[in-house]
Amino acid sequence: MKMSIREAINQTLHQEMARDERVIVLGEDVASDQGGVYGITEGLPAKFGVHRVIDTPITESAIVGAAGGAALTGLRPVAELMFVDFLGVCLDQILNQIAKFRYMFGGQARTPVVIRTMIGAGTGTGPQHSQILYPLLAAIPGIKVVTPANAADAKGLLTTAIRDDDPVIFCEHKALYMDECEVPEGEYLLPFGQARTAVQGSDITIVGMSRTAVIAEQAAAQLAQKGVSAEVIDLRTLSPLDESTILESLAKTGRLVVVDESNPYCSMASEIAGLAVEQGFDTLDAPVKRITSPHTPVPATPCLEAEYVPNVARVVTAVEETLAY
Amino acid sequence: MDVPTRKLKTAYRLMKTIREFEERMRSEYQQGKLPGFIHIYRNQEAVAVAACLDMTNEDYIASTHRGHGHCIAKGCEIEAMLLELACKEDGLCNGKGGSMHIADMSKGMLGANAIVGGGPPIAAGAALTAKTLGNGAVSMAFIGDGASDQGTVAESLNLAVVLQLPMIFMYENNRYAEFTKSPKPDGRIAERAGAFGMPAEVVDGSDFFAMYDACQQAITRGREGGGPTAIEAVCNRYYGHFEGDPQAYRDQDELAQERAVSDPIPRFLADPRAAALSAESIAEIDAAILSEIDRGFEVTYAAADPTPDKLYTDVYIHYEGRLR
């Protein structure tokens, strides 16, 4: 059935709440009639009641921390951190508490919490509502970071996230919510740590994640018209990272462009470029290129925001330069 | 309020265990035999013991960096605790937590916390579990006077009121936040908690019986769906912030005076309500405590350190990626 990412996430929450009564949803506005800013939780309170779909005050440390504490004691909470930018308010509860429970308690703890959060630029929401920040999260041992790029993956990965016994941060790109594709009916799970080869190709590998996977696919379609066969890899999960799919593709094509909406330093693009140099050096026929956002905040004005985010033209140019090396 | 003899014995045993356990720890620590930082709880024993006396393993506590007393009061085994404080393989947390992150999930002890104010949101989450499951359990956050100023505490107070959580905010006002004397008069913390819309009272934290009375009411309120309670236990921090802190910032005469009047153990024994405890039974309990601690240290010093491969275990339950 064809549906948007927004609908796929909503359907998955319905399915998992119906399947397991330990699953609760909490966050700001989640129990409102509108189902939050983008209607993601629409219909949940009517079906499952406000004791399982819980509106909270605008206090992110309490939301995330309580979700962690509830997970530690037997529930399977899905907390909503409305925008990932609000990580600035509640990072301690993720970094020092939830991520470390299992390790610092010597394996006694089980913390099956999912933190759903909106990421990304492209909708004019400005410096404090548009960041990516997933490299910051992927750098923390003890949590998993998931970045779906289409509705089918959103369903498969969110189902897996809710059933996973470790803490998972589920990153939803706000510019992709209305993107539609075919989504499998019924129960659908996708394993973590397995990237998707979105386009098969032989001349060059383009790696993307979340929205940049979509951009990479669009670039590959343009390149195909110019006779370039680009392979596109959508990482799906950043932690765990599917290194072997990247390295196998690189071994086949010899060339690598990574497209990442992060700021450049310590980005996922840097991580993957490092991987290619360290473990794929012999297979490289050209330097690795990183297409990222610049080392600036996200501007509110749409004309500068359009400059900020990676786009198809930049990817096509980078691919052509890499092929010409 | 009459306290049954069995409970009196337990209360005395736990307070005295905390005292002897920590005094022995201090001495071993000073000899360089224990690693890391330790924060001693002396003179605050009545708070933890009164707070946990009517709890079961299904009730939860979130502790602080000064957490040894909370652990013992919640029922953690002495030997397993010592093994953890010495960071041994068979410690409660396999040596990966140590004093400031010790936890015992089987006892509902959700961890000491090296982040001041880190625990209350977690305790609120445990209270949310209890409320959601409707199992009558309660959850308690221990909070120092320093932590009482943290935003996480305010957020947790608010959430507990909004969701009517079965939660107790157990403030331990020992009047010193690390090296700095609290500028707040006693009672201000309870007043602040009360302003969020929950019953809040100030109790003499050196008086076991007053504390137990307040805790029983708070726990009953939580179990019966009456929502959260705050208790400000005013007490004395006998030693420094951490072991080795000479407390040069304290007025020494005042400290000596506070130490003398706020020791909860002689005060407990002198109370007519503890009269049922005979001298013989006290001596018996004391002897048993000392031998348990001796045995614990013996086992601990003979115990193995974690093997190097343990660096990589228990980061996740299952991880499809690379850890090194």
Side-chain angles (χ1 to χ4, degrees):
Chain A
M1 187 183 167
K2 203 162 191 183
M3 66 174 74
S4 66
I5 293 186
R6 192 198 73 78
E7 290 165 330
I9 294 170
N10 180 262
Q11 187 197 71
T12 306
L13 291 171
H14 273 277
Q15 287 185 356
E16 291 305 299
M17 288 195 78
R19 176 180 175 269
D20 185 346
E21 63 179 16
R22 294 170 302 169
V23 177
I24 62 165
V25 167
L26 72 162
E28 296 155 13
D29 306 327
V30 294
S32 72
D33 292 339
Q34 288 167 238
V37 179
Y38 284 87
I40 302 292
T41 55
E42 199 180 336
L44 293 175
K47 190 157 172 200
F48 301 104
V50 290
H51 67 293
R52 287 182 64 201
V53 186
I54 303 163
D55 261 342
T56 65
I58 306 176
T59 52
E60 284 80 8
S61 290
I63 296 167
V64 171
L72 195 58
T73 51
L75 299 185
R76 305 187 77 85
V78 180
E80 182 172 306
L81 181 60
M82 193 183 278
F83 293 89
V84 77
D85 312 70
F86 306 165
L87 192 60
V89 187
C90 61
L91 186 58
D92 178 67
Q93 290 296 323
I94 295 173
L95 171 73
N96 284 317
Q97 313 296 339
I98 290 170
K100 292 180 172 54
F101 284 153
R102 185 162 183 86
Y103 194 79
M104 69 185 174
F105 298 167
Q108 295 178 73
R110 185 171 287 265
T111 316
V113 61
V114 177
I115 301 169
R116 290 182 38 248
T117 189
M118 253 190 278
I119 62 168
T123 57
T125 48
Q128 297 174 338
H129 276 63
S130 304
Q131 296 169 89
I132 279 287
L133 302 186
Y134 50 57
L136 222 98
L137 295 161
I140 302 172
I143 57 175
K144 300 176 182 178
V145 181
V146 180
T147 51
N150 63 54
D153 284 8
K155 178 174 180 179
L157 293 169
L158 183 57
T159 307
T160 303
I162 293 171
R163 297 186 194 181
D164 198 288
D165 281 335
D166 290 310
V168 179
I169 309 221
F170 190 84
C171 301
E172 303 166 9
H173 200 298
K174 62 177 86 61
L176 296 182
Y177 270 139
M178 302 315 288
D179 280 19
E180 292 190 348
C181 75
E182 280 299 319
V183 174
E185 301 274 345
E187 189 170 88
Y188 180 54
L189 290 98
L190 281 173
F192 289 169
Q194 285 186 24
R196 171 178 69 103
T197 303
V199 180
Q200 301 265 1
S202 53
D203 296 336
I204 188 162
T205 301
I206 312 175
V207 173
M209 62 221 77
S210 186
R211 192 184 183 200
T212 56
V214 177
I215 290 169
E217 270 194 73
Q218 291 165 350
Q222 278 193 20
L223 287 160
Q225 288 172 2
K226 299 182 180 189
V228 174
S229 167
E231 180 146 296
V232 175
I233 294 171
D234 170 7
L235 293 178
R236 279 182 169 156
T237 65
L238 308 184
S239 174
L241 180 65
D242 181 359
E243 298 182 347
S244 54
T245 295
I246 299 168
L247 292 168
E248 281 161 22
S249 178
L250 179 58
K252 185 168 69 172
T253 65
R255 289 178 162 81
L256 177 63
V257 170
V258 190
V259 201
D260 177 8
E261 198 181 310
S262 315
N263 301 112
Y265 304 126
C266 307
S267 59
M268 286 310 297
S270 299
E271 185 61 37
I272 291 159
L275 172 75
V277 170
E278 191 178 61
Q279 293 187 47
F281 190 75
D282 293 341
T283 64
L284 280 170
D285 294 327
V288 178
K289 267 204 190 293
R290 292 175 291 165
I291 308 292
T292 65
S293 299
H295 189 58
T296 71
V298 188
T301 169
C303 65
L304 293 183
E305 189 187 36
E307 282 296 306
Y308 175 92
V309 290
N311 58 32
V312 173
R314 281 174 67 196
V315 177
V316 169
T317 305
V319 166
E320 287 173 344
E321 285 172 3
T322 305
L323 288 170
Y325 177 82
Chain B
M1 174 196 52
D2 272 346
V3 182
T5 310
R6 182 179 51 83
K7 288 222 172 185
L8 284 174
K9 274 191 180 174
T10 306
Y12 174 75
R13 179 176 55 77
L14 290 170
M15 286 195 287
K16 196 66 188 283
T17 303
I18 297 169
R19 175 70 53 89
E20 297 291 352
F21 177 90
E22 288 203 308
E23 285 299 328
R24 177 74 183 273
M25 268 201 74
R26 271 188 84 229
S27 137
E28 304 283 325
Y29 186 82
Q30 285 164 357
Q31 296 168 52
K33 293 183 185 170
L34 294 169
F37 277 130
I38 57 171
H39 303 80
I40 302 291
Y41 193 63
R42 180 165 175 156
N43 269 14
Q44 300 181 216
E45 293 93 341
V47 180
V49 172
C52 299
L53 196 58
D54 280 2
M55 287 193 188
T56 73
N57 291 344
E58 278 65 53
D59 297 311
Y60 303 107
I61 63 166
S63 174
T64 69
H65 58 283
R66 201 175 302 288
H68 307 152
H70 307 149
C71 285
I72 292 171
K74 197 69 175 64
C76 299
E77 302 289 337
I78 292 299
E79 185 179 301
M81 273 184 73
L82 275 173
L83 285 163
E84 185 56 34
L85 300 181
C87 295
K88 299 296 183 183
E89 167 110 53
D90 292 335
L92 274 172
C93 307
N94 303 146
K96 287 173 174 168
S99 168
M100 286 202 286
H101 316 90
I102 188 168
D104 187 346
M105 297 299 294
S106 71
K107 300 292 196 303
M109 163 41 187
L110 305 180
N113 212 307
I115 306 296
V116 169
I122 299 161
L128 180 59
T129 298
K131 183 192 167 195
T132 305
L133 300 179
N135 60 9
V138 295
S139 177
M140 177 182 286
F142 287 95
I143 304 161
D145 49 290
S148 74
D149 288 329
Q150 282 279 26
T152 46
V153 176
E155 290 193 17
S156 303
L157 287 163
N158 189 53
L159 189 72
V161 169
V162 170
L163 300 182
Q164 283 296 291
L165 299 177
M167 181 165 175
I168 298 126
F169 293 82
M170 179 56 73
Y171 291 100
E172 296 186 89
N173 179 9
N174 65 21
R175 301 181 177 130
Y176 275 84
E178 299 180 5
F179 297 179
T180 302
K181 186 167 185 164
S182 172
K184 294 189 280 281
D186 294 346
R188 181 61 56 80
I189 292 172
E191 196 184 324
R192 193 187 283 174
F196 280 84
M198 69 178 76
E201 65 175 309
V202 186
V203 181
D204 180 346
S206 305
D207 180 348
F208 167 82
F209 292 98
M211 280 301 304
Y212 185 50
D213 191 31
C215 292
Q216 278 186 315
Q217 286 180 39
I219 290 171
T220 303
R221 182 176 297 124
R223 293 203 198 290
E224 291 176 353
T229 304
I231 296 169
E232 176 182 341
V234 178
C235 42
N236 161 246
R237 195 187 76 197
Y238 191 98
Y239 292 121
H241 168 51
F242 50 77
E243 179 48 34
D245 164 15
Q247 302 204 77
Y249 46 86
R250 285 179 89 160
D251 180 303
Q252 297 303 309
D253 292 340
E254 185 189 276
L255 178 58
Q257 156 95 22
E258 276 182 18
R259 280 177 166 176
V261 299
S262 62
D263 188 332
I265 297 174
R267 192 161 166 188
F268 172 86
L269 291 174
D271 196 292
R273 286 166 288 189
L277 281 183
S278 65
E280 291 79 15
S281 66
I282 290 169
E284 206 174 290
I285 291 169
D286 286 351
I289 288 169
L290 291 178
S291 89
E292 188 181 12
I293 292 170
D294 281 344
R295 195 171 58 247
F297 272 99
E298 237 170 78
V299 170
T300 296
Y301 288 142
D305 288 329
T307 49
D309 58 300
K310 294 299 190 309
L311 177 60
Y312 305 99
T313 57
D314 291 324
V315 182
Y316 296 91
I317 292 172
H318 180 66
Y319 193 59
E320 307 81 351
R322 199 155 54 88
L323 293 179
R324 52 176 125 180

